[in-house]
Amino acid sequence: MRKAFWSAIAVLFCLASPVNAAGIQLINYGPNLTGAIWYPCEGKPKDVELGELGVGVDYGLVGVKDCPVTGTKLPLVIVSHGYVGWFGGHHDTAAALADAGFVVAAINHPGDNANDSSRKDDLSSFLSRPTDMVRLLDFVLQEWKDGAVIDPAKIGLFGFSKGGYTGLALIGAAPDFGRYARGCTDASKLCEQLRSGDIPAVAQDARIRAAVIADPIPGFFTQSNLAAIRIPVQFWRAEIGIGIIDPEGTARVARALPGKPEVHSVPAGHFAFVAPCSPELKAVLPRICTDKPAEFDRLAFHREFNGSVARFFHEHLTEGN
């Protein structure tokens, strides 16, 4: 009965307006923890002013800023953005989850975001990203002023692109840096660093109980290291590749995931998983906002995508708990 109920919720998501009424608080906790927290609340949505946390363009962030949190013992989902992305890159998915009863927290990865890309191609960003998410989880559970509303036994993760790499590493798949190095065919800084010698292990976090991974960088993962994953995974992949994120590689990762992952293939390009663009953003960043094929409807897809993500997390974080 509960599964049928959440299947119906997913259908309602597909039919819903793209404008959500989620509460939102901005995080600015020191230089290395900036982002936002979405959560259930009651109020009338409007444009959210980002102030110094903005990225110089209208991303269409909508919500009810700083309104009181509604609910108790809420599940939490932490979000890891892609290469040179930002904490609001999946704001519609975050708002949809908040409207469905989740708290959602996302930060800018230091040195690899739209405001600061100083370490975007450096090995250090691959090593620090999982640690960033551990710090975010610690902050929300221990220091966020409304952290008492969260059930610490109900933690999920959403990761896209390089954030998908981050998520897979964080939930147990220790990246195979040697494999990636063997595939390097150029003299890039990252390839040189990977060939240079010992690389420390990246952080993992057993508090995460379910993960949604969208179009990750596949070159670091094999059947052997993916076998260490012990939690439910919903895996999304684009059928049109982009650089090092190729459809053959993501299909290989999907086949190698242990257990019974929920796998979805989308007949579009990599950026289909990013929130639908505002007109201003589309003019400034057409590469991210222009879909392939041209007839692909990102807005319609996200209604289905957001519903599926919410249903998956409800099934694995709240049902029976």
Side-chain angles (χ1 to χ4, degrees), residues 253-266:
V253 171
R255 291 192 300 269
L257 287 168
K260 297 180 179 179
E262 181 184 318
V263 178
H264 301 264
S265 294
V266 180

Side-chain angles (χ1 to χ4, degrees), residues 131-203:
T131 301
D132 296 339
M133 302 310 290
V134 174
R135 290 184 62 238
L136 173 60
L137 186 49
D138 288 342
F139 168 78
V140 176
L141 293 177
Q142 300 168 16
E143 300 187 58
W144 181 42
K145 68 182 185 67
D146 292 309
V149 304
I150 296 171
D151 185 337
K154 300 176 181 178
I155 308 296
L157 175 142
F158 176 98
F160 163 70
S161 190
K162 197 173 179 180
Y165 152 87
T166 305
L168 288 172
L170 199 61
I171 63 176
D176 187 338
F177 291 107
R179 181 186 189 280
Y180 193 95
R182 290 189 294 274
C184 284
T185 59
D186 57 40
S188 67
K189 182 178 181 180
L190 176 60
C191 289
E192 291 178 359
Q193 291 174 321
L194 290 172
R195 298 184 189 113
S196 66
D198 293 337
I199 299 173
V202 300

Side-chain angles (χ1 to χ4, degrees), residues 87-307:
F87 68 81
H90 305 279
H91 63 83
D92 69 314
T93 302
L97 285 170
D99 286 344
F102 293 82
V103 174
V104 182
I107 57 168
N108 284 340
H109 285 288
D112 185 14
N113 65 72
N115 281 335
D116 174 14
S117 60
S118 58
R119 295 191 295 117
K120 63 179 182 178
D121 296 316
D122 196 275
L123 174 60
S124 64
S125 72
F126 288 88
L127 301 178
S128 64
R129 272 173 159 263
T131 301
D132 296 339
M133 302 310 290
V134 174
R135 290 184 62 238
L136 173 60
L137 186 49
D138 288 342
F139 168 78
V140 176
L141 293 177
Q142 300 168 16
E143 300 187 58
W144 181 42
K145 68 182 185 67
D146 292 309
V149 304
I150 296 171
D151 185 337
K154 300 176 181 178
I155 308 296
L157 175 142
F158 176 98
F160 163 70
S161 190
K162 197 173 179 180
Y165 152 87
T166 305
L168 288 172
L170 199 61
I171 63 176
D176 187 338
F177 291 107
R179 181 186 189 280
Y180 193 95
R182 290 189 294 274
C184 284
T185 59
D186 57 40
S188 67
K189 182 178 181 180
L190 176 60
C191 289
E192 291 178 359
Q193 291 174 321
L194 290 172
R195 298 184 189 113
S196 66
D198 293 337
I199 299 173
V202 300
Q204 298 181 354
D205 200 316
R207 292 174 292 183
I208 299 169
R209 305 296 178 86
V212 173
I213 305 294
D215 230 26
I217 301 173
F220 297 95
F221 302 105
T222 65
Q223 187 168 9
S224 177
N225 59 16
L226 291 167
I229 295 174
R230 295 288 185 269
I231 65 172
V233 173
Q234 184 186 70
F235 189 87
W236 295 79
R237 54 180 294 274
E239 295 177 3
I240 300 174
I242 177 173
I244 62 173
I245 303 178
D246 62 290
E248 293 78 13
T250 56
R252 176 184 57 79
V253 171
R255 291 192 300 269
L257 287 168
K260 297 180 179 179
E262 181 184 318
V263 178
H264 301 264
S265 294
V266 180
H270 181 66
F271 295 112
F273 302 107
V274 176
C277 296
S278 67
E280 180 185 355
L281 182 60
K282 190 168 185 177
V284 174
L285 294 175
R287 178 171 175 267
I288 292 175
C289 298
T290 303
D291 289 301
K292 298 179 181 180
E295 62 270 20
F296 181 78
D297 187 335
R298 190 185 301 191
L299 185 60
F301 166 65
H302 270 247
R303 290 174 183 149
E304 176 184 355
F305 176 63
N306 293 342

